[in-house]
């Protein structure tokens, strides 16, 4: 039991380091959004592979929530875009 626990802790630590690096290099808008999108992947695994959600009503609700999360991720990613250059008018 010690080896699986140590391996999962190591994997969790590597994931945290990578999330810190992504926010550092990509900025908060893109990096944090990408790290939080992991819940969408785990939701898809839980729904379609492990069959944790079985009712069609619950699956539709999850899909609606996931769509809203994806829209938020896309909107936050525009925070990373560089500002428009300033135009200087000469008289």
């Amino acid at each position: 039991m010690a080896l699986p626990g140590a391996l999962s802790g190591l994997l969790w630590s590597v994931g945290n380091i990578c999330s810190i690096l992504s926010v550092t290099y990509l900025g908060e808008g893109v990096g944090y959004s990408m790290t939080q999108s992991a819940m969408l992947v785990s939701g898809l695994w839980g729904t379609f592979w492990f069959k944790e959600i079985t009712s069609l009503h619950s699956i539709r609700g999850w899909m609606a929530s996931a769509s809203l999360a994806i829209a938020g991720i896309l909107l936050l990613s525009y925070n990373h875009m560089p500002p428009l250059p300033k135009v200087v008018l000469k008289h």
Side-chain angles (χ1 to χ4, degrees):
M1 200 65 167
L3 183 61
L7 288 177
S8 64
L10 179 67
L11 185 62
W12 182 78
S13 297
V14 169
N16 275 337
I17 291 170
C18 289
S19 69
I20 290 170
L21 290 174
S22 70
V23 171
T24 302
Y25 289 110
L26 297 174
E28 290 182 13
V30 176
Y32 189 70
S33 299
M34 286 178 59
T35 58
Q36 293 304 309
S37 65
M39 69 178 168
L40 297 173
V41 175
S42 65
L44 288 171
W45 273 101
T47 302
F48 297 112
W49 182 260
F50 294 112
K51 307 287 187 213
E52 293 174 351
I53 302 173
T54 55
S55 73
L56 190 58
H57 178 72
S58 297
I59 292 173
R60 284 183 185 155
W62 186 87
M63 289 291 188
S65 300
S67 299
L68 185 64
I70 290 171
I73 289 168
L74 291 175
L75 288 173
L76 281 173
S77 68
Y78 288 115
N79 185 32
H80 187 66
M81 296 183 70
L84 294 173
K86 293 183 180 180
V87 177
V88 177
L89 298 175
K90 294 182 180 180
H91 295 303

